[in-house]
Amino acid sequence: MRHHRALWALAIVLSIALLLAPALWNGFPLLQYDTGGYLSPWYDGRLHINRSVPYGLLLVLGQRPDFWPVLIVQSLLTVWVLALTLRAHGFGGRPLLLFGAVTVLSIVTTLPWLTAVMLTDIFSGLAVLALYLLLLRDEALSKRECIGLFVFVAASAATHSATIAVLSGLVVVAAFVCIFDRTRVPLRRLVRGIAAMMLGALMAMTANALVARRLTWTPGGYALSFGRMLEDGIVKKYLDDHCPDASLRLCRYKAQLPNRADAFFWEEELFQKLGGFDGMHDEMRRIALESLADYPVLQLKSAIGETAKQFTMVETGAGVVKWVMDSYYSIKNHAPAALPAMDASRQHRTGIDFTAINQLQVPLAYLAMVLLPVMIWFGLRRDGYSDLGELAAVTTLALFGNAAVFGIFATAHNRYGARMVWLAPLVVMLVLIRAYERRRFKVEIPGLPHQQGHARL
């Protein structure tokens, strides 16, 4: 027993080290364009566009020493959810298998680059796995673990509007399954999923109230939709059709509008000249809403095109560049104790080249996504794979939902794809492990594998 516990401890420590490896190599937690926007609201006393206050509070609480506690929490939660997922599929009680799975995912997927960066993205994929366990595999969990996963799903939902949107979509699908097959999704599980979404929304609004002094949702939805319409030419068409109009300040600048949302919001001076997100909120809201009514066919084509594009954009390292000035500025002003380590980091001194990483990981991500329907077929047609077929189906729905959310409400971006795509290689890996063990030991594993009790980590 003592030897087994020591082996678990070693596996967990080594797994966490692997998930921290990019940051350890960098000499400091990785920063992204948006990191500063999560840290600043608590100090600025105002909400930032599409920046979660709950995650910002994690950064505030974990800033000493040098934000390492934040990454340790992210890595430990990742190991915990992966360990529960392995156990739910009959691979529990095997610490070396857990370490091996983390090792493979750390090489062939973007996972360690999500755990090693100060950003909400790691919680998107983990929350999908946690919700899946609560809705479809809770018989493999103890009561305490179910409570922990429930709180984790709610907290993850609070970290980003897109995350709660994807999770809510999965709960809606679960509701339809519950109507037709309560043996698969019992009502008690569905109620738990709905309650987690409600708690997540309450967490987000309560945290926002700590900053804004009022209950409100995280701002930014109209700006992101405006960005999509700008890139697809809908904003230009709207201005061509409605200008001159004294109430539209963009009329006088329509010839100067770039065709990229990032250029308009972050790279050129026009947007700031017009008042930035606060000053342009009402006008962007008006154009976004009226364009929906004026050009429904164009909007549909735009949303479908961006959704399809989002499926292909899964590169690691988006926005993890040398010049993340807003994040540098935020740390300098709000967490100055971390400034020396940040200045000495590889990212700050020379930048990080993700070319080789993406040459390996992107093709493997595409292959895994293509194989997901095969994994679903295995679950439907082959004995012993029904549980993994369900995981493949949930992963497929999550990937589609993630692409649709950003395709409809924002613009396609590698960051948005990478946050979720590592789930596909995880599913393929589990199917391969199952196939290998069935072949080696010649054992029949039923659709829901025999659980090895509630083995603790």
Side-chain angles (χ1 to χ4, degrees):
M1 178 64 71
R2 184 176 299 176
H3 172 75
H4 188 65
R5 289 179 177 177
L7 198 57
W8 266 115
L10 179 61
I12 292 171
V13 169
L14 291 178
S15 295
I16 291 175
L18 278 175
L19 296 174
L20 291 175
L24 293 172
W25 169 79
N26 183 52
F28 189 76
L30 299 175
L31 303 176
Q32 203 261 3
Y33 287 129
D34 297 343
T35 301
Y38 288 104
L39 177 63
S40 295
W42 181 255
Y43 299 97
D44 294 347
R46 64 181 180 86
L47 300 178
H48 288 224
I49 294 294
N50 209 37
R51 302 292 179 262
S52 159
V53 172
Y55 186 73
L57 293 177
L58 175 62
L59 296 184
V60 171
L61 294 173
Q63 63 181 275
R64 291 178 181 273
D66 298 336
F67 294 98
W68 287 108
V70 174
L71 301 197
I72 291 173
V73 167
Q74 293 178 175
S75 299
L76 186 58
L77 287 171
T78 301
V79 172
W80 177 57
V81 173
L82 287 175
L84 293 181
T85 302
L86 288 173
R87 187 209 302 163
H89 293 285
F91 306 122
R94 299 161 64 178
L96 293 182
L97 179 60
L98 171 64
F99 174 63
V102 172
T103 301
V104 172
L105 291 173
S106 295
I107 295 171
V108 305
T109 80
T110 190
L111 183 60
W113 298 94
L114 298 178
T115 52
V117 65
M118 293 199 293
L119 210 57
T120 65
D121 292 357
I122 183 57
F123 295 101
S124 300
L126 289 181
V128 169
L129 287 179
L131 183 62
Y132 159 78
L133 292 172
L134 287 175
L135 292 177
L136 294 169
R137 295 283 169 265
D138 71 346
E139 69 280 350
L141 309 170
S142 69
K143 183 177 180 180
R144 186 175 299 177
E145 288 164 344
C146 285
I147 293 173
L149 286 174
F150 173 81
V151 174
F152 175 74
V153 169
S156 297
T159 64
H160 201 284
S161 297
T163 300
I164 196 171
V166 172
L167 296 177
S168 297
L170 293 176
V171 171
V172 170
V173 174
F176 281 102
V177 174
C178 179
I179 292 173
F180 297 102
D181 186 359
R182 289 201 176 182
T183 61
R184 192 177 298 273
V185 181
L187 184 60
R188 62 178 176 78
R189 294 180 181 175
L190 177 62
V191 170
R192 184 191 294 152
I194 295 172
M197 295 303 97
M198 295 174 65
L199 179 59
L202 181 62
M203 284 180 174
M205 296 181 69
T206 301
N208 287 346
L210 294 175
V211 171
R213 306 303 181 203
R214 56 188 173 87
L215 282 176
T216 184
W217 193 251
T218 306
Y222 291 113
L224 296 176
S225 296
F226 177 90
R228 171 181 63 79
M229 298 176 196
L230 177 69
E231 290 198 357
D232 288 345
I234 296 175
V235 170
K236 183 179 185 304
K237 181 172 178 56
Y238 177 90
L239 294 175
D240 287 340
D241 291 346
H242 291 79
C243 295
D245 183 334
S247 64
L248 290 171
R249 290 182 294 164
L250 282 178
C251 281
R252 72 188 73 174
Y253 301 107
K254 66 176 184 176
Q256 302 176 32
L257 291 178
N259 57 7
R260 289 193 307 112
D262 283 348
F264 180 63
F265 290 139
W266 309 111
E267 298 172 12
E268 300 186 5
E269 296 181 358
L270 175 60
F271 186 62
Q272 295 305 319
K273 178 181 178 180
L274 293 172
F277 289 103
D278 293 333
M280 283 294 293
H281 175 270
D282 291 342
E283 188 159 328
M284 289 191 295
R285 177 180 180 274
R286 172 184 168 183
I287 292 174
L289 292 177
E290 292 186 2
S291 293
L292 285 172
D294 291 353
Y295 318 113
V297 175
L298 284 179
Q299 292 283 5
L300 181 60
K301 289 181 178 179
S302 172
I304 293 174
E306 287 295 321
T307 298
K309 183 180 177 182
Q310 183 61 76
F311 267 110
T312 69
M313 299 188 70
V314 296
E315 290 185 4
T316 293
V320 183
V321 297
K322 181 178 180 180
W323 301 108
V324 284
M325 299 311 298
D326 181 65
S327 297
Y328 291 152
Y329 175 87
S330 182
I331 290 175
K332 178 180 178 181
N333 286 275
H334 305 314
L339 193 60
M342 182 191 73
D343 287 341
S345 69
R346 290 176 184 267
Q347 181 181 357
H348 187 68
R349 290 185 291 107
T350 62
I352 301 173
D353 186 358
F354 290 92
T355 302
I357 292 172
N358 285 315
Q359 286 176 343
L360 170 67
Q361 293 181 356
V362 171
L364 291 176
Y366 289 161
L367 176 61
M369 286 192 288
V370 169
L371 288 175
L372 282 177
V374 179
M375 305 298 105
I376 297 173
W377 179 87
F378 259 73
L380 293 173
R381 302 294 297 272
R382 299 290 296 272
D383 291 338
Y385 291 90
S386 64
D387 58 317
L388 294 175
E390 289 179 345
L391 177 58
V394 170
T395 298
T396 301
L397 288 171
L399 291 174
F400 177 79
N402 185 66
V405 165
F406 288 108
I408 295 170
F409 298 105
T411 54
H413 198 281
N414 279 304
R415 173 195 164 189
Y416 305 146
R419 68 198 292 171
M420 197 76 73
V421 76
W422 64 272
L423 293 176
L426 170 64
V427 173
V428 175
M429 179 179 67
L430 293 181
V431 171
L432 292 176
I433 294 173
R434 173 73 57 78
Y436 170 77
E437 295 198 340
R438 282 168 61 86
R439 183 181 181 88
R440 179 181 178 187
F441 299 109
K442 294 181 172 57
V443 295
E444 288 298 324
I445 304 175
L448 182 62
H450 176 68
Q451 305 305 331
Q452 303 174 22
H454 297 306
R456 302 297 184 267
L457 295 183

